[in-house]
Every structure is written in C-alpha cells, then in structure tokens.
Amino acid sequence: MEPFSIQTLVMCFAGGIVGGALGGLFSFIICGLLVLAGCLVIMASGSDFILLQVGLGPIFGPHVGGFASGVAASTYAAAVKSNHPGGAAKDILSSLMGTSWDVLLVGGLTAIAGHLLVQVFARIPVINQTDMIALSVVATALLARLVFQKEMPWGSAKSISEIGYLKTDNHKISWVPWMLPIPKMIIYGFGAGVLSAAMAAQAKAVMDPLAASGAISAAGAFVVPLILGWAAAAISLIALQLGTGAIQQVPVWHCQAILAAMAYLYFGNILIAGLVGVCAALLQELMARMFWNHGSNHVDPPAAAIAVGTLMLNIIK
C-alpha cells in the first residue's frame, strides 16, 4: 500500500472512527486477533497482508484504529465534550459510540496522524531504530493530553508535588496495581519473557524454511516469531475489558512478550530472553510512573516501554 495515497489515508480515517467508537482497549484486543490471524495465514504459506497491512499497518494497527484512536477520542470526550460515559479520559474500556459525532471524528483524525508519524519516524536516524508503531501510539496520546487537557507529558504538577514523581502513594495511583509489588513483577516478567521467546523459537524454525523456499516473504518470516507472543498477550486482555473483580485482574504483558521475543531473535538464548522479560516489566512500570500515574489521560506504559526497549536492543545487538 502506498503510505501517502488518498486511499490509504481514507482507510486510516475509517479505521480510526471504528476504533474510537469501540474504545481503546477493545479495539486493541481486536487488533491482537487480527495480528494472530495474520500470523496463522503466513504459517500456512499465505500472504502477509493481514499481518502487515491490517493488524500492524494503516488499516487497523495499534497506532491507528487499533488503539491510539480510542485513546485520543477518550481524551477529547472527557476533557472537551464532557460526554465520556466513564467520566474520565483514563477510562479506555468504555465504548464511545454513545458520545457524539465529533468524538468519532477525533478518532479518525488521530489514526491519520498516527500513520503519518510512523512515516516521519522512519526517516529520522536513531528514531527509526525504535518501534515506530509504539512510539506513534505514545506520541498521539501525549499530543491529545497537551491539546485537549492542556497538560504536560509528565502529568499534573499538583499530583507530582503532593506524592512525588516516581512514587505511587502506596499504589493508590498505580497503573495496573495488581502487578505489584516489584518482586511479583520480576517473577512474572521472567515467565512471560521465556514463554514468548519459546513461541518465537518454534515459530522461527517453521518460518525460516518457508522463507528460504520463497513460500512466504522475508518480512513475514521475521515478524511472525517477533509478534506471536504479543498477539496472545493482547488477546488475553479481553478479561480486563469484560471481566470484573479478580477476573479482571490479568497481567498486561505484551511489552514483555515482544521485547523478549526480539531478544531471542537477536541473541538466540532463552535465558537472555527471560531476563529481558524482567527488564521489560520493570521498564513498563517506570514508564507508568513517568507518564501515566500523574496524568489525566492514558499514555500507554507498554507502548512507551516497547519504544525504549526496542531502541536499546537495536543499539546493543
């Protein structure tokens, strides 16, 4: 697909409208399902279109309709229109279909912005060594925070002054507090990292011969092992979207999954991948304390950690 064609931009816009109507988390879960479907198609020696153009591309990737549009629309609905059904911009679970036409319009425009940002990032040295999709997700959320809430990237100065920038007031303002304390986060990060790396290892063993024979694209052969655990983690968030109480308290682990898989693909060592999973879990929590805890809208900690972690792995590989 030509990235700057009218057709591509219209596709982005339409996906953003749908993503805005669904809400951030539900659209992300659907994105995860599309990515998994794309992986299965490639494993069956099929086209990489569903994976690279739909699930991770301009049609419904996380940076367009598959998450970012819902986050920005939620911010606009809460801060500008005061018609967010949950009352707060951080609520990315509520559908925004019952709000107003302009909320959906913001979703569509955000998708176009997210797509264009990826094209810009790809042309900037060093920046193009990070995960540009994840960086775009963070950038559009921060832009929505600044434009609609008149708030800086780090959040409320009053909250930071009262609680402390990297402190959580005994987890009262924590993002996904059930993943804390830190020792539990470390143990889980290792488990999630090794699981995703194991999936990457076995997928790579299947993908490499297919790519060598010309049955699948080289891009598909690399992305499937990288993204398979991420897709499983994204889909697991359906419990967070639809559950209540303890049922809802599932881990958020797509950051650990993709960074551990990347580490395995770079270094070929499951143990190293598990340690990267631990580092990813800790980095995700740091990003939450830097950008989410004191903020008024959702700036995604996993996306921020994926962007930073990818850059670090690309530098040291």
Side-chain angles (χ1 to χ4, degrees):
M1 294 172 63
E2 168 56 46
F4 299 108
S5 72
I6 295 298
Q7 179 171 291
T8 298
L9 297 179
V10 170
M11 288 179 182
C12 287
F13 182 65
I17 291 172
V18 174
L22 290 170
L25 185 59
F26 205 10
S27 62
F28 182 65
I29 292 165
I30 292 173
C31 175
L33 288 167
L34 289 168
V35 167
L36 179 60
C39 289
L40 295 177
V41 168
I42 294 174
M43 286 181 174
S45 301
S47 167
D48 61 18
F49 175 79
I50 293 177
L51 177 60
L52 300 183
Q53 300 300 327
V54 182
L56 296 175
I59 297 177
F60 210 72
H63 58 306
V64 288
F67 184 63
S69 61
V71 171
S74 177
T75 306
Y76 176 80
V80 178
K81 297 296 290 187
S82 299
N83 62 2
H84 193 298
K90 278 186 171 179
D91 174 8
I92 59 169
L93 278 68
S94 294
S95 168
L96 301 176
M97 192 64 198
T99 56
S100 54
W101 67 269
D102 49 333
V103 171
L104 305 187
L105 179 64
V106 167
L109 294 175
T110 300
I112 293 175
H115 169 70
L116 293 177
L117 279 172
V118 169
Q119 313 313 310
V120 171
F121 293 154
R123 290 160 171 76
I124 303 175
V126 180
I127 296 297
N128 60 15
Q129 295 301 303
T130 189
D131 186 313
M132 293 173 287
I133 289 177
L135 186 60
S136 177
V137 168
V138 174
T140 53
L142 289 174
L143 183 62
R145 175 178 287 184
L146 178 64
V147 173
F148 300 139
Q149 296 176 310
K150 313 304 179 187
E151 191 172 87
M152 299 304 289
W154 45 86
S156 166
K158 180 181 179 183
S159 177
I160 293 171
S161 176
E162 292 176 351
I163 298 172
Y165 185 34
L166 298 181
K167 296 182 179 179
T168 66
D169 194 16
N170 197 28
H171 307 328
K172 290 178 183 177
I173 63 168
S174 288
W175 172 79
V176 194
W178 53 85
M179 291 188 70
L180 295 164
I182 296 297
K184 180 168 65 173
M185 185 180 296
I186 289 173
I187 293 295
Y188 184 79
F190 182 80
V194 170
L195 173 61
S196 181
M199 295 169 71
Q202 297 308 307
K204 186 176 188 301
V206 173
M207 296 294 97
D208 285 353
L210 291 175
S213 69
I216 63 174
S217 68
F222 177 78
V223 175
V224 168
L226 175 67
I227 207 70
L228 198 56
W230 179 96
I235 295 167
S236 74
L237 295 177
I238 196 168
L240 178 58
Q241 174 70 34
L242 301 178
T244 57
I247 295 172
Q248 192 180 39
Q249 295 180 1
V250 293
V252 181
W253 58 289
H254 51 286
C255 167
Q256 295 93 302
I258 194 170
L259 291 180
M262 182 176 291
Y264 176 80
L265 294 174
Y266 283 174
F267 307 116
N269 187 293
I270 288 285
L271 180 59
I272 290 176
L275 295 176
V276 168
V278 172
C279 293
L282 296 174
L283 182 59
Q284 178 176 267
E285 175 63 17
L286 176 61
M287 295 297 102
R289 296 187 185 206
M290 291 177 66
F291 301 114
W292 192 94
N293 289 2
H294 298 287
S296 299
N297 76 329
H298 183 91
V299 174
D300 197 55
I306 290 169
V308 173
T310 299
L311 179 61
M312 293 172 67
L313 285 172
N314 279 326
I315 288 173
I316 66 176
K317 73 173 179 178

